[in-house]
Amino acid sequence: MDLRDAQLSLVQDLLAAPGSDDGWRQFLEHLCGAVDGSAASFIAHRYSDNRASISVTARTDPDALALYQQHWHQHDPWAHSPRAPRLRTGDVVIGDALIARPTFEQTAYYNEFGDRYDIAQCLAGMIEVSGDGLSCVSINRGIGQDRFDDHDRALLSGLMPHVQMALRIHRRLVGAELMAANAMAVLDRLPHGVILVSKTGVVLSTNGAADRILRLRDGLSVERGELRAGTPGATTQLRAALAVASAISSGSSLRPGRRLALPRPSGRRSFSLLLAPMPSGGTRGEGAPGMVAVFVSDPDQTVAIDQEELQRLLQLTPAEAALVRSLVGGLSLEEASVALSVSLETVRTRLKDVFMKTNTHRQADLIRLVLVTFVVER
């Protein structure tokens, strides 16, 4: 297949990729075949805190992926080459132009990691470059394979505008607009109750699970449009927690949102509430300042989330997946530390790594992502 035919075939893959990880994976698989690569990945490097994330891969050994994200990204000689910051969005570069082959072969990255997993050569197309880092599509070869050449570079160069356009479409499809159009259909499938509350404390909407919980009137109810707990004291706590989360949403507070346990008059185990400030300023009028999403977990109603599937969906390590599963199940960080038999500091470190991999910043956002992702995948 000549250069033009290969590019046209890959452009067809890109047209089908937005909105689906499988579509992107197929594109990377075919890109590997077109340039005889051993593996391909979408990688984002952030220089300020020396972080890296890999969103989609093809032909990548899972052990190599885990090791790279846990450690070796910090020593990636291509990403951290003095020449890397000079690259611009749309550029395509062969690894040998970033670090000379003899020098590369002397690095610990190559000798202890790259050679073992056929990550000894690199061809990379810059998707986005900023002062703080870069994101790229990266194709690798083993040390014994032919070197990447100008033909390979020309093929990827011709694809870069299409890659960037497909990614912009993908972000719109999986972002706020798609969620706004389908929010209630998705929320109604969640096993947790979700209650949307306005800045003034008025309940705006509920999903099916929340409706079932509220109908019980066992520790949580709606009275005159307001969300209330089972006792005056618990209601006061709930109002205070909602006020904090609402202030975060409207941008008038830097205090974190809260997790709250509400006792139930029936004597059954308390409801666990997670209050998530909602982003404001949506393009369709959604997300008015001060809105709060209240996630309600009934500990007597278990959430059947398979840990291995969670690990696959979010590309987590087994330890990270176990932590996320514990948090989704309603445990606090302290409780998760005990349940997983690790220190609280280890739990916090793992959670920071999970935030980085999932592009979330708070537990509420992470749990919301897990619930929606798990339900949608099913």
Side-chain angles (χ1 to χ4, degrees), residues 160-278:
M160 289 309 297
H162 303 284
V163 171
Q164 292 161 342
M165 177 61 73
L167 280 171
R168 286 195 292 269
I169 295 171
H170 179 84
R171 287 168 177 166
R172 290 182 66 86
L173 285 176
V174 301
E177 293 192 2
L178 182 64
M179 289 304 298
N182 299 283
M184 289 315 299
V186 173
L187 290 177
D188 274 334
R189 298 177 59 192
L190 296 180
H192 285 55
V194 182
I195 304 170
L196 190 62
V197 181
S198 75
K199 181 178 182 179
T200 58
V202 175
V203 173
L204 300 175
S205 64
T206 56
N207 71 342
D211 289 338
R212 291 189 290 273
I213 290 171
L214 293 169
R215 280 197 297 268
L216 296 174
R217 300 180 65 82
D218 183 21
L220 195 64
S221 62
V222 176
E223 304 290 343
R224 298 180 181 177
E226 180 191 14
L227 194 62
R228 295 187 183 180
T231 66
T235 297
T236 298
Q237 284 186 306
L238 176 59
R239 287 172 176 166
L242 284 169
V244 170
S246 178
I248 296 170
S249 175
S250 61
S252 57
S253 174
L254 295 178
R255 297 172 62 191
R258 286 191 60 188
R259 184 185 291 275
L260 195 65
L262 292 185
R264 301 167 68 174
S266 67
R268 300 179 70 182
R269 289 190 292 173
S270 299
F271 288 124
S272 176
L273 273 60
L274 189 64
L275 286 75
M278 295 293 290

Side-chain angles (χ1 to χ4, degrees), residues 94-111:
I94 296 172
D96 290 353
L98 296 172
I99 178 172
R101 175 66 70 90
T103 304
F104 175 82
E105 292 180 2
Q106 294 175 8
T107 63
Y109 180 92
Y110 167 69
N111 286 287

Side-chain angles (χ1 to χ4, degrees), residues 3-4 6-7 10 31 35 92-94 123 148-161:
L3 177 65
R4 180 172 176 76
Q7 286 177 334
L10 288 163
L31 179 60
V35 298
V92 174
V93 63
I94 296 172
L123 173 68
F148 286 113
D149 56 24
D150 288 341
H151 180 275
D152 302 313
R153 186 171 177 274
L155 185 145
L156 186 55
S157 293
L159 291 175
M160 289 309 297

Side-chain angles (χ1 to χ4, degrees), residues 33-362:
V35 298
D36 195 24
S38 60
S41 305
F42 285 109
I43 307 177
H45 287 273
R46 195 167 62 189
Y47 298 138
S48 59
D49 55 7
N50 202 18
R51 295 279 188 174
S53 60
I54 300 179
S55 52
V56 183
T57 67
R59 303 186 187 182
T60 303
D61 187 308
D63 290 340
L65 178 61
L67 288 170
Y68 184 86
Q69 295 194 139
Q70 291 168 8
H71 174 72
W72 286 108
H73 71 273
Q74 303 173 70
H75 308 283
D76 185 331
W78 299 305
H80 297 286
S81 164
R83 301 175 185 177
R86 303 173 195 167
L87 296 171
R88 297 292 179 264
T89 298
D91 286 352
V92 174
V93 63
I94 296 172
D96 290 353
L98 296 172
I99 178 172
R101 175 66 70 90
T103 304
F104 175 82
E105 292 180 2
Q106 294 175 8
T107 63
Y109 180 92
Y110 167 69
N111 286 287
E112 299 177 28
F113 173 69
D115 188 35
R116 178 180 177 184
Y117 293 106
D118 285 338
I119 305 175
Q121 300 188 59
C122 174
L123 173 68
M126 302 300 113
I127 299 169
E128 293 173 334
V129 179
S130 68
D132 189 40
L134 58 85
S135 62
C136 67
V137 54
S138 175
I139 307 102
N140 297 114
R141 283 180 182 170
I143 195 68
Q145 294 178 269
D146 292 338
R147 295 193 182 189
F148 286 113
D149 56 24
D150 288 341
H151 180 275
D152 302 313
R153 186 171 177 274
L155 185 145
L156 186 55
S157 293
L159 291 175
M160 289 309 297
H162 303 284
V163 171
Q164 292 161 342
M165 177 61 73
L167 280 171
R168 286 195 292 269
I169 295 171
H170 179 84
R171 287 168 177 166
R172 290 182 66 86
L173 285 176
V174 301
E177 293 192 2
L178 182 64
M179 289 304 298
N182 299 283
M184 289 315 299
V186 173
L187 290 177
D188 274 334
R189 298 177 59 192
L190 296 180
H192 285 55
V194 182
I195 304 170
L196 190 62
V197 181
S198 75
K199 181 178 182 179
T200 58
V202 175
V203 173
L204 300 175
S205 64
T206 56
N207 71 342
D211 289 338
R212 291 189 290 273
I213 290 171
L214 293 169
R215 280 197 297 268
L216 296 174
R217 300 180 65 82
D218 183 21
L220 195 64
S221 62
V222 176
E223 304 290 343
R224 298 180 181 177
E226 180 191 14
L227 194 62
R228 295 187 183 180
T231 66
T235 297
T236 298
Q237 284 186 306
L238 176 59
R239 287 172 176 166
L242 284 169
V244 170
S246 178
I248 296 170
S249 175
S250 61
S252 57
S253 174
L254 295 178
R255 297 172 62 191
R258 286 191 60 188
R259 184 185 291 275
L260 195 65
L262 292 185
R264 301 167 68 174
S266 67
R268 300 179 70 182
R269 289 190 292 173
S270 299
F271 288 124
S272 176
L273 273 60
L274 189 64
L275 286 75
M278 295 293 290
S280 61
T283 58
R284 298 184 180 219
E286 70 275 13
M291 288 171 58
V292 177
V294 180
F295 294 86
V296 187
S297 302
D298 183 348
D300 292 329
Q301 300 293 322
T302 59
V303 182
I305 293 182
D306 181 77
Q307 184 171 315
E308 291 185 2
E309 188 170 1
L310 182 62
Q311 181 180 342
R312 177 185 65 82
L313 290 177
L314 299 183
Q315 297 188 351
L316 305 176
T317 66
E320 291 166 349
L323 172 60
V324 172
R325 189 169 183 265
S326 297
L327 297 178
V328 173
L331 298 186
S332 66
L333 289 183
E334 291 79 6
E335 292 167 336
S337 169
V338 174
L340 299 174
S341 300
V342 295
S343 70
L344 182 57
E345 184 61 31
T346 297
V347 165
R348 286 173 173 156
T349 299
R350 287 180 187 170
L351 183 59
K352 289 179 182 178
D353 290 337
V354 171
F355 283 161
M356 185 271 293
K357 290 182 180 180
T358 58
N359 194 29
T360 55
H361 304 283
R362 296 187 296 259

